[in-house]
Amino acid sequence: MALLGQRHQAPRVLPTAPAAGRGPLPGLGLAALGVAAAWAAHAAFPAVPMLTAAVVLGLAAAHVPGARAFVRGRGRPGLSLAGKRLMRLGIVLLGLKLSLDDVLGLGWATVVMVLGVVSLTFFGTWWLGRRMGLPGDQPLLIATGYSICGASAIGAVGEVTESEERDAAVSVALVTLCGTLAIAVLPLLQGPLGLTDAEFGRWAGASVHDVGQVVATAQTAGAGALGDAVLVKLMRVAMLAPLVAGVGLALRARAVGSGTAGGRRRPPVVPLFVAGFLVMVVVRSTGWVPGAALGLAGHVQELLLAAALFGLGSAVDLPSLARTGGRVAVLGLCAWVVVAGVSYVGVLVVG
């Protein structure tokens, strides 16, 4: 069974006039304003992660009458560039959050639990999305976002598969919505499920999608829970590189099997930005990078991802989304139940 579906001839997300002669600066300027607004929203309401706010603001910009024409026209080249190139840079810097010592310090039982959660969520969501008939790469991208690290993982795999902007935008919107709901829902379940603070932290880290959403969810149970949550979450982030490599290998195999590989550039097994992510993991693991530099890199990484997610959010066309919204919503709900349920069982088994 092939991992990747056949390319579909879907209409563009937002109708645009020919972009000849248009530069990216107007769209990048709007993305910068969106990042500033997302930062202000997070500062005013700390429970709302900055990256979540960026997606919502991008989606709003695409549908507010005063901004809609700009987003669809002059701003589109820069917004698309933000959604792709700035996403790559943000993923590279994401590697500085992950240390090999931290991962090994979790213990092999937790590592195996995380591998099980990622594998079951990814393949279960992808299979269900294909069975439901979602178009293009949506099943693959949604499965990636739920199993690894939300929008960052969707951006990474979407770059390798050269997915339609519409597929990436819909996937990011769905994963962001469910991750935001987790911030409110999961803390209410700690007591009924009988989880200690440490167990709740590991559950949040294993089941919530974006790093910022994990922090917002786990901090309700205290500093100890937050520390465990971040470590488990970063272990999931470490799965990004092998997943992207697997998708690259699947693309190569499909191209060779269909006889279309001749004369065409083969997709790299490990794209340059994923290699950069791995290099940053190694750099962080040496312990040579000062804490101040890591803090600065973390802020820059969040700003880059916020700009990228604003760009992706602005590519969502709600009327088009509504035509497949029912199936997408059902897949999102099922994937959310799978990742939360498998993670819960894993946390209880590991103890």
Side-chain angles (χ1 to χ4, degrees):
M1 188 181 298
L3 251 185
L4 304 169
Q6 297 296 321
R7 291 278 179 230
H8 64 294
Q9 299 299 320
R12 291 180 62 87
V13 184
L14 297 174
T16 62
R22 291 191 186 132
L25 289 181
L28 289 176
L30 178 60
L33 290 175
V35 171
W39 177 85
H42 174 64
F45 305 99
V48 178
M50 180 176 169
L51 300 186
T52 300
V55 175
V56 173
L57 289 169
L59 193 151
H63 297 86
V64 172
R68 182 170 53 196
F70 179 82
V71 168
R72 297 182 180 187
R74 290 185 61 220
R76 192 72 250 148
L79 291 169
S80 295
L81 184 144
K84 294 181 179 180
R85 300 297 177 85
L86 297 188
M87 177 69 80
R88 295 178 188 177
L89 293 175
I91 291 170
V92 170
L93 291 179
L94 186 62
L96 287 175
K97 292 183 176 291
L98 183 63
S99 167
L100 295 177
D101 290 337
D102 290 339
V103 172
L104 295 177
L106 290 172
W108 287 110
T110 301
V111 171
V112 171
M113 182 269 286
V114 171
L115 288 173
V117 169
V118 169
S119 299
L120 290 173
T121 303
F122 176 79
F123 286 108
T125 303
W126 167 77
W127 175 84
L128 183 59
R130 292 291 300 274
R131 290 295 299 269
M132 293 173 63
L134 292 184
D137 290 333
Q138 286 183 26
L140 175 65
L141 296 178
I142 292 171
T144 300
Y146 274 84
S147 60
I148 305 291
C149 54
S152 301
I154 291 171
V157 171
E159 287 289 322
V160 176
T161 59
E162 297 182 349
S163 300
E164 296 280 350
E165 189 176 24
R166 174 182 183 273
D167 291 342
V170 168
S171 303
V172 166
L174 178 65
V175 171
T176 299
L177 173 62
C178 289
T180 303
L181 292 174
I183 297 173
V185 173
L186 263 61
L188 299 178
L189 297 178
Q190 180 182 357
L193 293 177
L195 295 173
T196 66
D197 289 348
E199 289 172 339
F200 176 75
R202 290 194 290 272
W203 185 43
S207 61
V208 182
H209 317 312
D210 179 76
V211 176
Q213 293 165 344
V214 168
V215 171
T217 303
Q219 56 87 28
T220 61
L226 178 58
D228 284 353
V230 171
L231 286 178
V232 171
K233 177 60 189 175
L234 292 180
M235 177 62 198
R236 285 171 66 197
V237 172
M239 297 296 101
L240 178 63
L243 177 64
V244 172
V247 171
L249 287 171
L251 279 171
R252 284 182 170 225
R254 189 179 69 175
V256 171
S258 62
T260 60
R264 299 180 64 181
R265 182 180 67 86
R266 291 184 178 183
V269 174
V270 179
L272 185 60
F273 68 93
V274 175
F277 168 85
L278 293 174
V279 169
M280 291 299 102
V281 172
V282 173
V283 169
R284 170 65 187 271
S285 301
T286 63
W288 296 342
V289 184
L294 290 175
L296 177 61
H299 290 306
V300 173
Q301 175 249 332
E302 190 170 25
L303 292 174
L304 289 171
L305 289 183
L309 293 181
F310 182 89
L312 285 176
S314 72
V316 176
D317 182 29
L318 290 180
S320 297
L321 178 61
R323 288 193 285 271
T324 57
R327 286 178 293 162
V328 169
V330 170
L331 178 60
L333 179 61
C334 291
W336 195 18
V337 170
V338 168
V339 69
V342 173
S343 301
Y344 176 67
V345 172
V347 167
L348 293 183
V349 171
V350 172

